[in-house]
């Protein structure tokens, strides 16, 4: 249904996604309306399309899925509209205009502005601005009304209008699929509905190409950088509902246009988007070039002995070999599981580099990973975003990421910790920034989960056998006393973990249901753990779970844990924003990269807050509509209420989000298995997040399933083949 009214009050507006709550004035009273808006202002007259709903807290509301601004339809409204929107034109002058031209006022302003020259209070500049404003608004809302008729939100419709302007409707009528070139968040199926309504043939070239690119990009959601040719054809036939031959011809045309690439890997053809094919090619060329550069053959034995004596450590032959390889090779990899001495090696390498008066940088893919290696080495580590000075790029805008200009790294050695977290786009940008005379040292655990972003960079490089790689297998004595570490290695070797549940740091609690599992988690955190250990529940304890949904997912667990770990109190301010209740003291995580946030720590300016950073809400200011978060690196960042959707509660986090971090005490619920998600390397990664104690709660059969599930972790990528083909 459609309703009309004037915007009386904008109660709430989220600038990130456009979600707005407004008080709408109608002839017979006021109603509350909710939906996505863009550029809406008080006193705007609008027509909304939606339906009345009943909210359990806020009562009756009109929930709209689209709206349009309408030109004022009364003289009084038109006077206010002119006065409120045209600089230098007040109500008296607006009154004269309306009194002079009456019902023809809008047409006069739009089409015959010269007739306004006789109105006292107007000059040529004001007349031009008024006519220009009315025409722009008319054109804009004409386009938006057209787009919203196809179920495109006002926010996206406005974005399209800003890109295409007054030609928008003509462009869409000629080829609606071109919209996908301008707004990458538009869904192909929505655009395809527009095409079908315009009777565009199913076999139209633009439709086929857009559908194929849609099917190709869907594979990126699972971490792949490519898809088998036959699989792409099969998927595209289902989506586009045409014959195989039509799809194959369209793929050939896309290849000619260099929008996609085909490469043969292990006797199968794979299809890539332009961004990932070029990124992997760039990585391969840079790595091979570095690997072929002249290497050193210096004997670092005496220097290694000196730093081992200085630090009072006894290095194994593996560790000594890793240090020599790193110092003598232009590019090298050090990989091993927990307890195999990776951090010790990094510390020794840095000591030797400093002793030679050489420059080095220590970095990691995420803020928490950088903080962890800083703490363990006592040396400053930067995130790759900060090191490369990457700013204002959408994480999913792969074309922009590909062609990004990054800051050059002027150092003799570049040490990257947690290298398993490097995705294709970040690795491409890192290698672009490194000079040929620098030594690149990648340190990571190749058996952990691969990067959140597409690719399997560290594994592909190792498997190519191009780069000097040191495998650390020896578990040191102090680590042999840890059942956490020993169980991690058992899982990695395809063996089920052993739970002694006595004089151990690794426990298992069996449960019979989701409810039983949830109850054991809450009882542990509420009181049981306090009987055995002394710890800070908020900072030392972390619940890690494989998933977001179900009772054991982060969404539900965070609601439960908030009431246990940070209960409601008259002394704590709280604010509900977008159905999330934020309270002073809450543990929260930043879930997107925000390069614009700035803060100061110890007098040093810090730019950006990044996906995965964890902090605590220190205050909520209702007057300024802001909340403040102190992150683990001591930076304090302010968020307007509109920006709060960048934060999630972090009492429970996913295994993927925990990568690069370690926590003293970890509770890991494992009860219900999703085949694609519950893999050996996910279990292995989760176990290795715990330093002092790990408690797994759930079902042993699911654990056994995860140990045996190695097939689901393999990503489709082309980097290994590109590396080998160059050699």
């Amino acid at each position: 249904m459609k309703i009309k009214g004037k915007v009386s009050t904008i109660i709430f507006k989220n600038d990130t996604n456009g979600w707005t709550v407004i008080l709408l004035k109608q002839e017979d009273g006021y109603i509350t309306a909710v939906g996505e808006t863009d550029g809406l202002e008080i006193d705007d007259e609008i027509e909304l399309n939606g339906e009345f709903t009943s909210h359990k807290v806020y009562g009756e509301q009109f929930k709209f899925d689209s709206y349009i601004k309408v030109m004022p339809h009364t003289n009084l409204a038109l006077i206010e509209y002119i006065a409120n929107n045209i600089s230098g034109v007040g109500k008296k002058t607006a009154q004269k205009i309306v009194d002079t031209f009456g019902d023809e006022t809008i047409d006069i302003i739009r089409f015959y502005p010269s007739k306004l020259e006789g109105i006292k209070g107007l000059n040529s500049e004001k007349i031009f601005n008024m006519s220009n404003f009315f025409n722009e608004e008319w054109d804009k809302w004409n386009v938006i009304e057209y787009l919203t008729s196809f179920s495109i939100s006002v926010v996206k419709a406005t974005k399209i209008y800003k890109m295409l302007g007054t030609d928008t409707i003509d462009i869409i009528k000629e080829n609606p699929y071109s919209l996908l070139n301008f707004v990458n968040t538009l869904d192909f199926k929505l655009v395809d509905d527009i095409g079908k309504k315009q009777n565009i043939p199913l076999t139209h070239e633009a439709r086929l190409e857009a559908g194929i690119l849609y099917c190709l990009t869907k594979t990126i959601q699972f971490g792949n950088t490519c898809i088998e040719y036959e699989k792409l054809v099969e998927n595209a036939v289902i989506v586009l509902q045409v014959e195989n031959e039509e799809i194959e011809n369209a793929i050939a045309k896309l290849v000619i246009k260099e929008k996609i690439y085909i490469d043969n890997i292990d006797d199968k053809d794979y299809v890539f988007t332009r961004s990932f094919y070029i990124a992997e090619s760039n990585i391969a060329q840079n790595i091979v070039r570095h690997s072929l550069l002249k290497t050193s053959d210096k004997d670092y034995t005496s220097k290694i002995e000196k730093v081992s004596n200085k630090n009072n450590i006894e290095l194994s032959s593996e560790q000594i070999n890793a240090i020599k390889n790193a110092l003598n090779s232009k590019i090298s990899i050090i990989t091993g599981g927990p307890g195999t001495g990776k951090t010790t090696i990094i510390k020794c390498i840095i000591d030797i580099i400093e002793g030679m008066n050489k420059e080095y940088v220590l970095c990691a893919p995420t803020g928490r990973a950088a903080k962890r290696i800083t703490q363990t080495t006592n040396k400053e580590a930067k995130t790759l975003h900060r090191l490369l000075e990457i700013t204002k790029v959408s994480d999913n805008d792969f074309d922009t990421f590909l062609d990004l200009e990054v800051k050059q790294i002027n150092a003799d050695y570049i040490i990257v910790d947690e290298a398993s977290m490097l995705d294709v786009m970040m690795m491409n940008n890192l290698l672009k920034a490194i000079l040929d005379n620098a030594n690149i040292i990648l340190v990571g655990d190749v058996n952990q989960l691969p990067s959140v972003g597409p690719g399997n960079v560290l594994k592909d490089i190792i498997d190519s056998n191009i780069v000097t790689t040191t495998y650390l297998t020896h578990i040191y004595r102090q680590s042999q006393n840890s059942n956490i570490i020993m169980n991690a290695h058992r899982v990695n070797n395809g063996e089920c973990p052993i739970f002694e549940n006595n004089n151990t740091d690794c426990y298992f609690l069996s449960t019979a249901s989701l409810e039983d599992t949830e109850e054991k988690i809450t009882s542990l955190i509420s009181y049981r753990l306090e009987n055995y250990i002394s710890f800070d529940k908020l900072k030392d304890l972390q619940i890690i779970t494989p998933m977001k949904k179900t009772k054991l997912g982060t969404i539900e667990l965070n609601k439960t844990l908030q009431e246990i770990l940070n209960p409601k109190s008259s002394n704590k301010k709280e604010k509900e924003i977008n159905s999330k209740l934020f309270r002073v003291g809450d543990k929260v995580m930043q879930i997107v990269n925000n390069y614009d946030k700035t803060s100061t720590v110890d007098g040093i300016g810090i730019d950006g807050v990044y996906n995965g950073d964890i902090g605590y809400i220190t205050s909520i200011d209702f007057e300024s509509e802001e909340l403040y978060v102190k992150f683990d690196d001591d930076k304090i960042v302010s968020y307007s209420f509109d920006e709060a959707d960048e934060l999630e509660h972090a009492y429970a986090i996913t295994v993927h989000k925990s990568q690069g971090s370690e926590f003293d005490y970890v509770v890991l619920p494992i009860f219900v298995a999703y085949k694609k998600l519950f893999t050996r390397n996910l279990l292995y990664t989760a176990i290795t997040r715990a330093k002092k104690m790990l408690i797994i709660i759930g079902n042993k059969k699911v654990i056994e399933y995860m140990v045996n599930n190695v097939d689901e972790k393999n990503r489709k990528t082309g980097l290994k083949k590109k590396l080998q083909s160059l050699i």
Side-chain angles (χ1 to χ4, degrees):
M1 63 179 297
K2 292 183 179 181
I3 62 171
K4 289 183 179 181
K6 179 188 284 189
V7 178
S8 174
T9 305
I10 298 176
I11 300 170
F12 171 79
K13 172 71 183 293
N14 184 324
D15 289 331
T16 303
N17 59 22
W19 183 257
T20 310
V21 181
I22 59 177
L23 189 65
L24 194 71
K25 183 180 180 181
Q26 296 184 297
E27 292 181 0
D28 56 350
Y30 294 85
I31 64 168
T32 302
V34 295
E36 290 185 18
T37 70
D38 187 272
L40 198 65
E41 296 179 358
I42 292 174
D43 291 331
D44 280 347
E45 295 209 24
I46 56 177
E47 180 180 273
L48 306 98
N49 185 42
E51 60 183 14
F52 281 99
T53 61
S54 180
H55 191 280
K56 61 182 180 181
V57 176
Y58 302 112
E60 187 177 61
Q61 299 177 332
F62 187 80
K63 187 174 182 180
F64 58 92
D65 48 34
S66 66
Y67 76 97
I68 58 169
K69 284 187 181 181
V70 294
M71 288 295 179
H73 58 276
T74 66
N75 288 350
L76 181 61
L78 184 55
I79 291 167
E80 289 184 358
Y81 187 76
I82 294 171
N84 290 337
N85 288 287
I86 310 302
S87 178
V89 179
K91 284 190 177 181
K92 287 185 178 180
T93 304
Q95 177 81 55
K96 293 175 186 176
I97 296 170
V98 174
D99 287 347
T100 302
F101 298 106
D103 294 340
E104 296 181 339
T105 298
I106 293 175
D107 284 344
I108 294 294
I109 293 172
R110 289 190 64 209
F111 305 117
Y112 310 104
S114 60
K115 293 185 178 182
L116 296 169
E117 292 172 359
I119 302 293
K120 188 177 180 181
L122 293 180
N123 56 30
S124 58
E125 182 181 356
K126 291 177 183 178
I127 292 170
F128 173 80
N129 289 340
M130 191 186 312
S131 181
N132 194 48
F133 173 79
F134 268 73
N135 281 312
E136 282 186 353
E137 284 292 287
W138 188 280
D139 291 336
K140 174 183 174 181
W141 287 98
N142 185 39
V143 169
I144 290 174
E145 181 178 14
Y146 178 77
L147 290 172
T148 54
S149 69
F150 296 113
S151 301
I152 295 175
S153 72
V154 172
V155 174
K156 288 181 179 177
T158 304
K159 187 174 181 180
I160 293 168
Y161 176 79
K162 287 177 181 177
M163 291 182 176
L164 303 181
T166 55
D167 295 329
T168 301
I169 295 175
D170 290 336
I171 290 171
I172 292 171
K173 286 181 177 179
E174 182 179 345
N175 176 17
Y177 300 96
S178 63
L179 287 174
L180 297 165
N181 298 327
F182 300 102
V183 185
N184 58 16
T185 54
L186 277 180
D187 185 71
F188 167 78
K189 293 181 179 178
L190 185 151
V191 176
D192 199 32
D193 284 340
I194 300 175
K196 290 174 180 176
K197 289 175 182 176
Q198 293 181 185
N199 296 316
I200 291 177
L202 295 181
T203 56
H204 191 282
E205 182 176 319
R207 178 178 184 268
L208 295 179
E209 291 186 359
I212 289 166
L213 290 171
Y214 164 76
C215 293
L216 184 53
T217 54
K218 289 290 282 186
T219 191
I220 295 166
Q221 296 176 1
F222 302 103
N224 305 300
T225 62
C226 58
I227 184 174
E228 290 180 33
Y229 179 91
E230 296 298 335
K231 186 68 175 176
L232 176 60
V233 172
E234 179 185 325
N235 292 347
V237 165
I238 295 171
V239 169
L240 295 166
Q241 298 178 320
V242 296
E243 298 297 324
N244 284 36
E245 184 179 355
E246 298 285 355
I247 301 297
E248 291 171 352
N249 289 338
I251 290 175
K253 290 178 182 178
L254 284 167
V255 171
I256 293 171
K257 295 177 182 179
E258 295 186 345
K259 291 186 176 182
I260 64 175
Y261 290 79
I262 297 178
D263 201 359
N264 188 273
I265 304 172
D266 298 329
D267 297 325
K268 284 186 179 180
D269 283 339
Y270 285 81
V271 187
F272 297 76
T273 63
R274 172 184 175 273
S275 297
F276 288 111
Y277 185 85
I278 293 177
E280 286 188 339
S281 298
N282 291 344
I283 293 168
Q285 290 166 10
N286 275 300
I287 286 176
V288 169
R289 188 176 71 254
H290 264 84
S291 68
L292 295 178
L293 290 171
K294 185 178 178 181
T295 57
S296 167
D297 55 0
K298 292 180 182 178
D299 185 0
Y300 286 95
T301 302
S302 61
K303 286 183 169 60
I304 293 171
E305 288 178 355
K306 184 178 178 180
V307 297
S308 63
N309 291 333
K310 170 190 168 184
N311 295 303
N312 194 28
I313 54 175
E314 184 178 342
L315 296 171
S316 70
S317 58
E318 280 182 349
Q319 291 176 311
I320 292 171
N321 190 42
I323 295 169
K324 289 181 177 179
N325 286 340
L327 294 171
N328 278 319
S329 305
K330 284 301 178 185
I331 181 166
S332 63
I333 294 172
I334 301 167
T335 185
T340 56
K342 296 189 296 297
T343 302
T344 299
I345 291 169
I346 292 175
K347 290 165 72 174
C348 290
I349 290 172
I350 291 174
D351 276 350
I352 293 171
I353 293 171
E354 289 178 339
M356 296 189 298
N357 293 318
K358 297 285 188 179
E359 296 293 324
Y360 73 91
V361 293
L362 180 61
C363 56
T366 66
R368 288 190 64 81
K371 181 183 180 182
R372 189 190 63 79
I373 195 63
T374 295
Q375 291 172 333
T376 54
T377 62
N378 291 319
K379 305 293 181 181
E380 181 192 7
K382 293 184 177 180
T383 64
L384 290 174
H385 282 89
R386 189 171 298 158
L387 179 66
L388 301 176
E389 296 187 356
I390 296 174
T391 59
K392 298 182 180 178
V393 181
S394 168
D395 293 345
N396 295 317
D397 189 352
F398 298 117
D399 288 335
T400 302
F401 253 118
L402 176 69
D403 300 319
L404 206 60
E405 288 189 16
V406 293
K407 183 182 179 182
Q408 197 170 63
I409 305 172
N410 294 308
D412 300 297
Y413 294 87
I414 293 90
I415 306 168
V416 185
D417 193 32
E418 295 290 352
S420 64
M421 300 176 70
L422 287 168
D423 62 32
V424 165
M425 288 301 166
M426 186 56 75
M427 187 62 170
N428 176 48
N429 283 311
L430 174 63
L431 291 175
K432 280 194 295 187
I434 296 175
L435 301 176
D436 282 350
N437 63 348
N439 284 38
I440 306 168
I441 305 166
L442 304 176
V443 184
D445 185 348
V446 74
N447 293 305
Q448 286 189 22
L449 287 169
S451 56
V452 174
N456 207 353
V457 174
L458 186 65
K459 185 176 186 299
D460 283 349
I461 298 173
I462 291 174
D463 289 349
S464 72
N465 295 316
I466 302 298
V467 173
T468 301
T469 301
T470 305
Y471 299 87
L472 305 175
T473 58
H474 179 69
I475 305 171
Y476 290 86
R477 187 177 298 114
Q478 65 270 29
S479 297
Q480 290 175 359
N481 296 325
S482 167
N483 283 319
I484 294 172
I485 290 177
M486 298 310 292
N487 275 331
H489 285 276
R490 286 189 188 98
V491 168
N492 192 40
N493 293 328
E495 302 170 11
C496 286
I498 297 173
F499 303 102
E500 296 177 357
N501 283 5
N502 189 25
N503 295 324
T504 182
D505 58 1
C506 189
Y507 296 86
F508 176 75
L509 301 180
S510 179
T511 58
S513 65
L514 284 171
E515 292 74 18
D516 185 21
T517 309
E518 185 181 25
E519 189 280 325
K520 279 189 169 60
I521 293 171
T522 56
S523 64
L524 272 172
I525 293 165
S526 297
Y527 60 89
R528 288 174 65 184
L529 277 174
E530 292 176 327
N531 296 329
Y532 299 96
I533 54 176
S534 176
F535 68 111
D536 185 325
K537 286 185 180 182
L538 277 178
K539 295 186 177 179
D540 300 333
L541 173 69
Q542 185 62 57
I543 290 78
I544 297 176
T545 178
M547 53 213 163
K548 288 186 175 183
K549 298 179 180 179
T550 79
K551 284 192 174 183
L552 301 180
T554 55
I555 297 171
E556 291 302 319
L557 282 176
N558 272 314
K559 292 177 183 177
T560 302
L561 296 170
Q562 181 188 41
E563 295 310 311
I564 297 172
L565 297 172
N566 189 33
K568 186 179 181 68
S569 167
S570 59
N571 298 323
K572 298 176 185 175
K573 291 182 179 179
E574 59 182 48
K575 172 69 176 177
E576 183 174 351
I577 307 172
N578 295 340
S579 301
K580 292 180 188 174
L581 182 64
F582 292 101
R583 183 177 293 146
V584 170
D586 273 345
K587 185 177 185 178
V588 292
M589 175 183 280
Q590 176 80 12
I591 59 170
V592 295
N593 291 324
N594 187 325
Y595 308 95
D596 296 327
K597 290 292 183 186
T598 58
S599 58
T600 303
V601 177
D602 297 330
I604 300 173
I606 296 178
D607 293 330
V609 57
Y610 300 104
N611 189 353
D613 287 355
I614 290 179
Y616 303 86
I617 297 177
T618 57
S619 62
I620 297 176
D621 188 330
F622 291 111
E623 187 173 339
S624 65
E625 295 191 340
E626 290 181 308
L627 55 85
Y628 295 83
V629 178
K630 184 175 183 179
F631 286 94
D632 283 346
D633 55 2
D634 292 330
K635 65 189 173 195
I636 297 177
V637 179
S638 66
Y639 293 81
S640 68
F641 289 169
D642 293 348
E643 297 172 317
D645 60 348
E646 293 186 10
L647 298 171
E648 281 185 356
H649 291 94
Y651 302 106
I653 62 176
T654 63
V655 179
H656 283 85
K657 289 289 188 184
S658 74
Q659 278 186 273
S661 305
E662 288 183 332
F663 308 94
D664 284 348
Y665 303 95
V666 170
V667 174
L668 173 64
I670 295 178
F671 188 82
V672 179
Y674 295 133
K675 185 180 179 184
K676 288 186 178 295
L677 184 62
F678 278 51
T679 59
R680 180 188 294 177
N681 59 351
L682 184 135
L683 177 60
Y684 173 76
T685 302
I687 291 173
T688 56
R689 299 308 91 202
K691 291 195 292 184
K692 294 182 179 179
M693 181 182 290
L694 170 68
I695 303 173
I696 301 179
I697 305 175
N699 188 329
K700 274 191 177 179
K701 288 185 177 180
V702 177
I703 295 174
E704 292 172 4
Y705 171 81
M706 294 177 77
V707 170
N708 293 318
N709 185 16
V710 293
D711 296 330
E712 294 295 337
K713 72 176 183 179
N714 295 322
R715 292 182 170 185
K716 301 290 188 294
T717 64
L719 180 57
K720 175 184 171 182
K721 191 261 184 179
K722 290 181 177 66
L723 284 163
Q724 292 175 331
S725 64
L726 285 174
I727 290 293

